[in-house]
């Protein structure tokens, strides 16, 4: 099988925004393509697949190590706009995530930043990063992280975004 989109999970989640994808350890996830198909919704059995149904129902309530809050939106976006457009959006999100990790991660915020990169609108992420950079010039990494967290939390509260893994 030729995999055209290795950074998009078989379910429609963006691997690019996953903490395990950005890990350097043995537990680094390298994707999940199976059964000779690129995505679950391309499978002939997707309408009757119990595993796919359970996965989508699960994702509406709970997260695992990865944020599933946007799964249904991702699937709808892909079905409307195509995988290429989705891939472009996810690359932009990943670039913003990498910037957060490089400039604001004190060693304990990777999952938090991955969730923010998943649930925030791109424009919100761009504005947040610009504001955090401006407000944290000259600060040490822990303080820089606190500045970014504070801005993200304020927007999340106002927009009703959930920035923790739902257990």
């Amino acid at each position: 099988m030729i995999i055209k989109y290795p950074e998009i999970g078989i379910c429609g989640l963006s691997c690019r925004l996953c903490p395990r994808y950005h890990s350097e350890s043995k537990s680094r996830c390298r994707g999940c393509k199976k059964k000779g198909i690129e995505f679950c919704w391309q499978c002939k059995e997707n309408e009757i697949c119990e595993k796919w149904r359970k996965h989508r129902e699960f994702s509406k309530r709970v997260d695992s190590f990865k944020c599933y809050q946007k799964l249904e939106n991702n699937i709808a976006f892909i079905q409307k706009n195509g995988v290429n457009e989705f891939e472009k959006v996810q690359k932009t999100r990943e670039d913003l995530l990498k910037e957060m990790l490089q400039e604001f991660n004190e060693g304990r915020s990777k999952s938090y930043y991955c969730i923010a990169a998943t649930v925030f609108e791109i424009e919100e992420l761009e504005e947040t990063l610009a504001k955090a950079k401006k407000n944290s010039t000259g600060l040490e990494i822990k303080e820089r992280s606190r500045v970014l967290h504070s801005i993200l939390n304020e927007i999340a509260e106002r927009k009703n975004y959930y920035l923790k893994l739902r257990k």
Side-chain angles (χ1 to χ4, degrees), residues 103-104 132-144 147:
E103 297 189 33
F104 297 93
K133 285 178 188 178
K134 181 181 173 190
N135 294 349
S136 66
T137 303
L139 298 177
E140 296 294 324
I141 191 67
K142 283 186 179 182
E143 289 79 25
R144 291 176 60 80
V147 168

Side-chain angles (χ1 to χ4, degrees), residues 31-128:
C32 58
K33 304 297 177 161
K34 297 170 189 166
K35 287 183 80 175
I37 58 169
E38 189 94 35
F39 304 106
C40 284
W41 59 87
Q42 292 175 328
C43 179
K44 292 180 225 172
E45 300 168 9
N46 90 68
E47 303 252 342
I48 59 168
C49 179
E50 189 63 18
K51 186 174 185 178
W52 177 230
R53 185 191 65 72
K54 282 182 180 178
H55 182 71
R56 288 178 81 172
E57 288 302 316
F58 172 84
S59 72
K60 292 175 185 174
R61 306 180 315 280
V62 182
D63 300 308
S64 59
F65 60 89
K66 168 97 172 97
C67 175
Y68 288 80
Q69 294 177 52
K70 293 291 186 165
L71 177 64
E72 292 295 325
N73 294 16
N74 290 355
I75 294 166
F77 183 94
I78 292 168
Q79 290 174 329
K80 179 181 178 188
N81 302 295
V83 180
N84 287 334
E85 283 304 308
F86 181 74
E87 181 76 345
K88 287 178 193 175
V89 171
Q90 298 314 302
K91 284 180 182 178
T92 301
R93 289 181 178 282
E94 181 185 29
D95 289 344
L96 294 165
L97 171 61
K98 284 180 177 179
E99 197 172 336
M100 284 189 272
L101 292 172
Q102 182 178 355
E103 297 189 33
F104 297 93
N105 186 21
E106 81 291 53
R108 298 174 37 160
S109 296
K110 186 190 304 182
S111 292
Y112 178 83
Y113 294 152
C114 288
I115 294 169
T118 299
V119 300
F120 274 61
E121 297 298 328
I122 289 174
E123 297 79 20
E124 293 169 331
L125 290 169
E126 291 169 338
E127 291 170 14
T128 298

